[in-house]
Amino acid sequence: MTKAALLLRDEQPKVVDVAFDFVFASHEGFIRAFSMQFGVSPIDCRSSPGPIRLFMPDRVRDRCLALQKGEIKMATNETAKTVFVQVVERPASKVILKQGVKATHYLEYCGEVDCDVWDIL
């Protein structure tokens, strides 16, 4: 979501293009998710650029808030573990989506869509 917000702010693309580039099924779903995450609509973000609050998963944000409030303590040296984070840029890719209509599990899905995806790939 942060990358989408930065793209809208800096490059001014159409909202629908950003929604589909970030693999949303509809631009309405993207607008809802974006507005819930950032408190402004994508159109407002694009038209009046400003600082963007980075996306943070709820469980991480809740833990950070609990640490700030002193509700939980940081791990001591005996229990602390080292965590390495590496950001890896991946080349752009395309998604092939074959959606089942009546299938309720994988084998039914394969029967419904013929599972000939491998020929397409």
Side-chain angles (χ1 to χ4, degrees), residues 32-104:
R32 270 193 308 276
F34 190 96
S35 299
M36 285 175 54
Q37 178 60 41
F38 297 108
V40 295
S41 72
I43 295 167
D44 292 339
C45 178
R46 187 180 65 190
S47 61
S48 58
I52 294 174
R53 180 177 46 120
L54 296 178
F55 171 78
M56 185 182 299
D58 291 338
R59 65 177 187 203
V60 174
R61 183 176 41 250
D62 293 345
R63 183 156 175 86
C64 289
L65 289 172
L67 281 169
Q68 287 174 349
K69 292 178 182 177
E71 295 171 359
I72 57 175
K73 302 286 184 203
M74 291 292 289
T76 62
N77 286 342
E78 300 94 42
T79 60
K81 295 180 181 177
T82 303
V83 176
F84 295 97
V85 177
Q86 180 180 7
V87 177
V88 178
E89 292 291 327
R90 300 277 186 214
S93 59
K94 300 289 181 183
V95 174
I96 297 174
L97 177 64
K98 290 189 82 172
Q99 198 166 13
V101 178
K102 298 178 184 177
T104 59

Side-chain angles (χ1 to χ4, degrees), residues 98-101 103 106-117:
K98 290 189 82 172
Q99 198 166 13
V101 178
Y106 181 72
L107 293 177
E108 280 183 7
Y109 168 79
C110 285
E112 187 175 324
V113 298
D114 294 330
C115 282
D116 52 359
V117 173

